[in-house]
Amino acid sequence: MHGLVSAVDWHLVKTRIFDPNHAFAQALFRTVYIAIVSQVVGVGLGLASALFQMSRWRVLRVASYVYVLLIRGTPLIVQIFFMYYGANLLIGADLFPRDVNFGLFSLDGAIVAGMVALAVNEGAYMSEIIRAGIASIDRGQMEAAKSVGMPYGLAMRRIVLPQAARTIVPPLGNEFNGMIKNTSLLAFIGVYELFLDAEQGYSVTFKPVEYFIGVAFWYLVLTTIWSLIQVQIERKLGASDREEGEGWVQRILGIQAQGSRGAR
Amino acid sequence: MSADVDAIVTATDVDKYFGSNHVLRGVSLDVGKQEVVCIIGPSGSGKTTFLRCINHLERIDGGRIEVNGHLIGYRTKADGELVEDSERNIARQRTEIGFVFQRFNLWPHKTALENIIEAPVKVRKVSRAEAVAQGEALLVRVGLADKRNAYPNKLSGGQQQRVAIARALAMKPALMLFDEPTSALDPEMIGEVLEVMQELAADGMTMVVVSHEMGFAREAADRIVMMDDGVVVEQAAPSEFFTSPRHVRTQQFLSKIL
């Protein structure tokens, strides 16, 4: 026992956790913004897909079903590779060039391809969550909105979605928790984020345990911060009315237990 | 009947199917300006479905419905065929028609006042200040001035239904439709809702009411319409309707409920 524990270079672990270098700070920043952008876009895609699934037009319904089936039925890592390497071949154009210029700033093509892959993947899961949220709202709510002359879009935005948010936000929080961790998969297409930073460190030093304990710690920090934010959001929405007895510690532990879906 | 001269609602030969179930079999009904019409009949007779067709909450499969001279839910193509109208046009037509639901359907995430001003502000584009002033006046009218900031779950059924009536009135409709407005209420709350409806009728609102409240029908209605099995069986002024119903199905129905 003593031998095992002392085999770990605890000084290095401490450095990785409490005194990270500049490259690490950049990687951390990249992980955070990739997760946020992908999640926001994913929620948008999910909402569109959910509305398509409830549409009167068959074409839209079928398109949405196929999207959800394909994305949920294949591994995320395959989707990421496909987006980065495959899409260019398939379309015959350089969809994600080395640098993507957004006017004010430019991004590495791998980061853009990675965010697109994560967002498209997330959209399929959010689609189901949002659809279920909308379905949980009584039909009379939409009818009342229509009866005073609201068109569908306005009624959705003002009446149905604000109520559905209460059921959508808790699983959405778990999705974002998963998203933070899934950004690590982008290391495999060369995005320099937290996981790649750790991998490169260990490949030089041959001290995997130290580097991976360090990186695991930082993922834990990110997901814990998010859990705290989520509790606040849910409180604001009144979504936690039913669980008033639960303290924030249980909430965080509960969320962590459900949220750890890992790579899919 | 005066309805022909100055009709707010003109329904002609309305047909409606739910799957293979023929729920409306050629219903025709005219409602004149400021007239109060009560539709009664056994459950499953199609009266609620017919009411929902008037503001196109249900599509119709045959016939036509006009409100204030506008064809509801459909437009006529060049060749005379009817096709369903655009969503925007249907929404615009509905602003003319207030609808009160059996189960109130207030929006639970909004206060009483917010429920009332939502459509004036978002649909009619009335200024917020004006909508609030008008909303407060409506709350006074339904006797709930002190419930301005209450959420629906803090209101009794009768209070919720009165807010729902105020919400419908806020759009200044030419016609009010009531779908069994007191059926979901505890007995002691029925009176307060009927009172508001009676005042509305006295103020000259054109109303179509599906109801089992015979007291209201007798006092406030200008005409009673009896529906059974998807058709209008007979219609008459209340005095005549209750004392000498002509049709045997009306007699049977009245003998059961009176």
Side-chain angles (χ1 to χ4, degrees):
Chain A
M1 194 60 194
H2 180 77
L4 269 178
V5 173
S6 63
V8 176
D9 180 350
W10 289 104
H11 179 71
L12 180 56
V13 172
K14 219 174 91 189
T15 310
R16 294 297 303 167
I17 290 176
F18 295 109
D19 191 19
N21 58 15
H22 180 67
F24 171 88
Q26 278 191 324
L28 177 66
F29 174 65
R30 212 164 274 142
T31 290
V32 171
Y33 82 71
I34 288 174
I36 293 174
V37 171
S38 305
Q39 187 67 39
V40 169
V41 176
V43 169
L45 289 173
L47 178 61
S49 170
L51 293 176
F52 278 14
Q53 240 168 70
M54 294 182 296
S55 166
R56 271 157 69 171
W57 290 292
R58 209 183 131 87
V59 190
L60 296 184
R61 288 202 304 270
V62 171
S64 177
Y65 285 134
V66 171
Y67 165 59
V68 173
L69 181 78
L70 281 180
I71 296 301
R72 295 208 309 174
T74 55
L76 175 54
I77 187 70
V78 173
Q79 293 163 20
I80 291 169
F81 272 71
F82 180 83
M83 199 61 78
Y84 188 50
Y85 300 110
N88 287 353
L89 293 177
L90 202 70
I91 294 169
D94 211 1
L95 198 59
F96 299 110
R98 230 185 139 56
D99 283 294
V100 183
N101 198 332
F102 286 96
L104 289 174
F105 60 97
S106 67
L107 275 181
D108 182 352
I111 296 181
V112 178
M115 287 196 294
V116 170
L118 287 172
V120 167
N121 179 271
E122 186 55 34
Y125 288 87
M126 283 311 300
S127 174
E128 295 295 287
I129 291 169
I130 294 173
R131 192 183 53 76
I134 291 173
S136 73
I137 304 303
D138 185 81
R139 251 183 66 206
Q141 292 291 312
M142 176 56 100
E143 287 193 343
K146 283 182 170 179
S147 78
V148 288
M150 290 194 190
Y152 178 81
L154 183 64
M156 230 351 141
R157 193 157 52 79
R158 299 281 309 173
I159 304 302
V160 178
L161 287 177
Q163 295 181 58
R166 288 171 62 126
T167 34
I168 291 171
V169 163
L172 186 151
N174 291 339
E175 285 297 308
F176 186 58
N177 182 300
M179 176 65 84
I180 291 169
K181 293 171 290 182
N182 281 340
T183 54
S184 61
L185 294 173
L186 299 195
F188 296 105
I189 55 169
V191 175
Y192 199 88
E193 43 62 72
L194 277 183
F195 184 72
L196 190 54
D197 180 61
E199 201 184 46
Q200 297 215 332
Y202 110 79
S203 67
V204 176
T205 61
F206 299 107
K207 289 184 169 172
V209 175
E210 289 79 357
Y211 276 88
F212 290 129
I213 290 177
V215 78
F217 172 82
W218 277 101
Y219 280 114
L220 187 61
V221 168
L222 291 180
T223 52
T224 306
I225 291 171
W226 168 245
S227 297
L228 290 169
I229 296 172
Q230 192 190 350
V231 170
Q232 291 309 314
I233 296 174
E234 284 180 29
R235 191 164 293 161
K236 228 171 191 164
L237 278 168
S240 50
D241 280 357
R242 283 157 288 161
E243 300 133 49
E244 255 165 345
E246 263 178 281
W248 62 271
V249 175
Q250 288 99 314
R251 294 284 302 163
I252 289 168
L253 294 178
I255 286 161
Q256 296 292 33
Q258 289 167 37
S260 53
R261 189 172 53 222
R264 54 204 184 196
Chain B
M1 206 171 295
S2 67
D4 299 321
V5 186
D6 216 1
I8 295 285
V9 182
T10 314
T12 317
D13 288 331
V14 175
D15 273 296
K16 170 78 188 168
Y17 293 84
F18 285 128
S20 62
N21 190 6
H22 199 174
V23 288
L24 297 178
R25 306 162 181 259
V27 174
S28 295
L29 184 74
D30 289 345
V31 180
K33 195 166 186 168
Q34 304 202 334
E35 199 181 8
V36 176
V37 171
C38 251
I39 305 179
I40 64 168
S43 62
S45 58
K47 50 195 194 309
T48 286
T49 303
F50 176 64
L51 197 75
R52 288 166 60 84
C53 289
I54 297 177
N55 76 344
H56 203 65
L57 282 178
E58 301 286 352
R59 275 172 234 172
I60 61 176
D61 299 308
R64 56 192 290 145
I65 299 175
E66 286 176 25
V67 173
N68 245 348
H70 304 294
L71 185 63
I72 293 296
Y74 297 85
R75 60 193 169 79
T76 318
K77 284 205 301 192
D79 58 3
E81 197 196 333
L82 291 183
V83 290
E84 188 161 30
D85 211 338
S86 72
E87 194 202 319
R88 213 139 270 280
N89 281 340
I90 292 170
R92 197 176 308 130
Q93 291 169 346
R94 287 191 182 120
T95 62
E96 305 255 292
I97 308 170
F99 199 99
V100 176
F101 297 86
Q102 184 178 351
R103 303 214 48 90
F104 335 129
N105 293 349
L106 287 184
W107 302 313
H109 60 307
K110 294 182 182 294
T111 63
L113 184 70
E114 285 168 351
N115 264 276
I116 295 168
I117 67 171
E118 177 70 16
V121 171
K122 293 292 166 185
V123 178
R124 283 240 199 271
K125 310 284 183 202
V126 172
S127 79
R128 207 184 149 81
E130 196 185 323
V132 168
Q134 191 209 343
E136 283 170 343
L138 281 166
L139 280 172
V140 171
R141 192 167 165 188
V142 298
L144 292 172
D146 56 328
K147 300 294 182 190
R148 183 186 191 276
N149 297 321
Y151 283 91
N153 64 359
K154 302 286 179 228
L155 299 174
S156 73
Q159 291 171 334
Q160 287 189 53
Q161 192 61 300
R162 285 187 280 156
V163 173
I165 292 172
R167 175 176 69 180
L169 290 175
M171 292 301 280
K172 302 196 168 90
L175 166 71
M176 285 284 285
L177 306 175
F178 294 84
D179 180 18
E180 308 201 22
T182 56
S183 310
L185 296 177
D186 290 336
E188 74 271 22
M189 292 168 186
I190 291 174
E192 64 195 57
V193 171
L194 291 181
E195 207 172 298
V196 169
M197 289 169 62
Q198 248 153 9
E199 280 165 24
L200 207 53
D203 287 348
M205 175 58 76
T206 309
M207 294 163 62
V208 180
V209 183
V210 170
S211 181
H212 297 295
E213 292 299 326
M214 292 305 141
F216 174 82
R218 197 171 281 165
E219 279 173 47
D222 297 306
R223 187 155 41 110
I224 314 281
V225 173
M226 165 79 189
M227 281 184 72
D228 190 16
D229 208 14
V231 295
V232 172
V233 175
E234 82 175 270
Q235 46 184 312
S239 52
E240 189 188 334
F241 185 88
F242 287 111
T243 50
S244 49
R246 268 173 251 151
H247 203 284
V248 65
R249 278 195 278 182
T250 312
Q251 290 161 4
Q252 283 168 350
F253 180 68
L254 288 178
S255 73
K256 267 184 228 154
I257 60 163
L258 289 180

